[in-house]
Amino acid sequence: MQLEHKSIHRWAYDPFCPIDFRLQDAQRLAEGERTKWADEDDPLVLDCAAYLKALNAATTARERVSARARWPLIRATIDFAEENTFRGAEVRARLLAGQSDRQIAARCKVRPKLVGHFERLHFAVRHALKARDYLVKHALGRDIFVDQGFGDKEVAEFWGWCAIHGGVAVVDFMVERLRDVVAPGNEPTMMAYFDRRVPLAVQGFVASHALPYNEPMATVWYTCGLRSSEARAKGDEDEFFERDIQRRVLVRLARHHFAGKPLPIPLAAPEPEKRAAKGGGKQQKPVSKSKVKLLPTVTEVRKLVQEIGDLATAESHAASKSTD
């Protein structure tokens, strides 16, 4: 009895397989780096290779227009992948959330075939939706073990993180909050979440997950957590007020982070060099300033929290007077 031969796709066993492996295969075929088609090459890879080869061989504008006209869906898919818009970021997030082509097309106002071609050529993640580490590494471009936060232009990566860990419901919520303040045709930014029309709770959520978790931020989290614990012991009203202050602190820090500025917390100066004891012993080598870690002290962070708390108190008093 002869067994049926079945080809095994390399993404099934290769954890380092890139999510655009089909596009890379098509590029190699078009450039002549591969002369034979592999068993796993599907018609889409072959069509994309033919399009790229025709486009590379075109020497005049007329020939390029002709090549683009012969493969309109391939051309539209490649053009869509190069977009850095609200719609492109949303499509990527919804693919990571596990939605179908039709569901994504209905929400993002694109053709279902375009979504399918884009996923297979540029963002092949559906085979690995349960492999979170793989998606974080290859789809988001993040290190698995270090949380370096998100930059101002990394809305697609932030939404992708929300999709991987929260699913469709979280993506819907975060996308709609930004849709209230950013036009769909414009490039979205993380800073846009700090618009006044966005609720403070949402702003705090964005800031808390966008900020990098490093040693200075560890001091901030410790101080905010300590104040929240003290407020919880006093009563519900103080606890809720402290929670809002904590959100305001994180938003202020995130604004500086997105703008590429240092945190607005004075850093502690390095301790003076310790001399060797008299009567023997080798003198310690001076430590290079570049190797000294400057960290904020708990006192300085408390000053920042207190400053923002005073502003929040003033705002609440002003709001109560205006309602009266």
Side-chain angles (χ1 to χ4, degrees):
M1 179 180 176
Q2 187 176 2
L3 296 177
E4 181 182 358
H5 171 72
K6 293 184 178 180
S7 61
I8 301 177
H9 298 276
R10 68 175 176 276
W11 49 255
Y13 59 85
D14 183 6
F16 302 101
C17 181
I19 59 176
D20 62 343
F21 67 93
R22 291 189 180 91
L23 178 64
Q24 293 186 19
D25 284 349
Q27 291 171 340
R28 294 190 187 99
L29 285 172
E31 295 171 1
E33 296 181 12
R34 286 177 51 196
T35 58
K36 295 182 179 180
W37 294 331
D39 292 339
E40 62 193 39
D41 286 338
D42 56 29
L44 179 60
V45 173
L46 304 183
D47 288 344
C48 184
Y51 166 73
L52 294 175
K53 187 174 182 179
L55 201 62
N56 293 336
T59 57
T60 64
R62 184 174 182 178
E63 291 177 350
R64 285 191 291 270
V65 171
S66 177
R68 291 170 66 87
R70 289 178 60 188
W71 292 275
L73 194 52
I74 300 291
R75 170 189 56 79
T77 303
I78 294 177
D79 291 344
F80 178 77
E82 296 175 353
E83 285 187 10
N84 193 18
T85 60
F86 194 108
R87 183 180 63 172
E90 184 178 359
V91 168
R92 287 175 171 83
R94 295 192 179 282
L95 284 170
L96 289 170
Q99 291 189 289
S100 66
D101 292 349
R102 291 188 177 277
Q103 289 173 331
I104 297 173
R107 295 300 298 266
C108 302
K109 310 302 180 185
V110 294
R111 288 178 292 170
K113 284 188 176 181
L114 180 64
V115 176
H117 278 47
F118 172 74
E119 191 275 335
R120 291 169 64 192
L121 280 177
H122 298 272
F123 207 70
V125 297
R126 282 176 170 157
H127 67 278
L129 291 180
K130 294 183 179 180
R132 289 187 175 182
D133 288 349
Y134 173 87
L135 295 178
V136 170
K137 181 69 175 178
H138 293 279
L140 306 185
R142 286 294 185 279
D143 189 274
I144 299 172
F145 304 103
V146 180
D147 183 11
Q148 65 267 46
F150 297 94
D152 187 37
K153 303 292 185 180
E154 295 181 322
V155 174
E157 291 81 357
F158 175 69
W159 284 352
W161 179 87
C162 292
I164 293 172
H165 296 281
V168 179
V170 178
V171 173
D172 285 343
F173 183 81
M174 298 308 298
V175 168
E176 291 305 318
R177 298 294 77 73
L178 203 61
R179 201 188 302 276
D180 294 337
V181 296
V182 178
N186 296 338
E187 179 183 2
T189 62
M190 296 292 289
M191 192 76 82
Y193 273 113
F194 300 147
D195 188 278
R196 291 184 177 181
R197 290 170 287 180
V198 179
L200 180 59
V202 178
Q203 295 185 33
F205 174 84
V206 172
S208 63
H209 293 93
L211 284 164
Y213 191 80
N214 48 26
E215 290 179 295
M217 281 305 304
T219 308
V220 174
W221 281 110
Y222 168 77
T223 305
C224 291
L226 186 62
R227 285 177 61 103
S228 296
S229 299
E230 294 173 351
R232 193 178 301 113
K234 294 179 181 178
D236 292 340
E237 186 174 350
D238 290 337
E239 179 184 353
F240 295 143
F241 187 67
E242 283 294 334
R243 190 179 302 172
D244 284 348
I245 293 176
Q246 180 174 339
R247 289 165 177 162
R248 290 170 182 265
V249 170
L250 296 177
V251 167
R252 180 170 177 180
L253 297 177
R255 285 181 179 274
H256 283 71
H257 171 66
F258 293 149
K261 300 178 181 178
L263 298 182
I265 307 173
L267 300 180
E271 295 182 1
E273 179 186 351
K274 295 181 180 180
R275 300 294 180 180
K278 295 182 179 180
K282 296 182 179 179
Q283 185 175 0
Q284 296 180 352
K285 295 182 179 180
V287 180
S288 173
K289 291 184 179 180
S290 61
K291 296 182 179 180
V292 176
K293 293 182 178 179
L294 300 179
L295 302 178
T297 63
V298 175
T299 302
E300 297 295 348
V301 176
R302 285 177 176 172
K303 288 181 180 178
L304 174 66
V305 176
Q306 185 63 44
E307 174 189 343
I308 296 178
D310 294 341
L311 291 175
T313 304
E315 288 180 3
S316 62
H317 287 329
S320 62
K321 288 183 179 179
S322 62
T323 53
D324 295 340

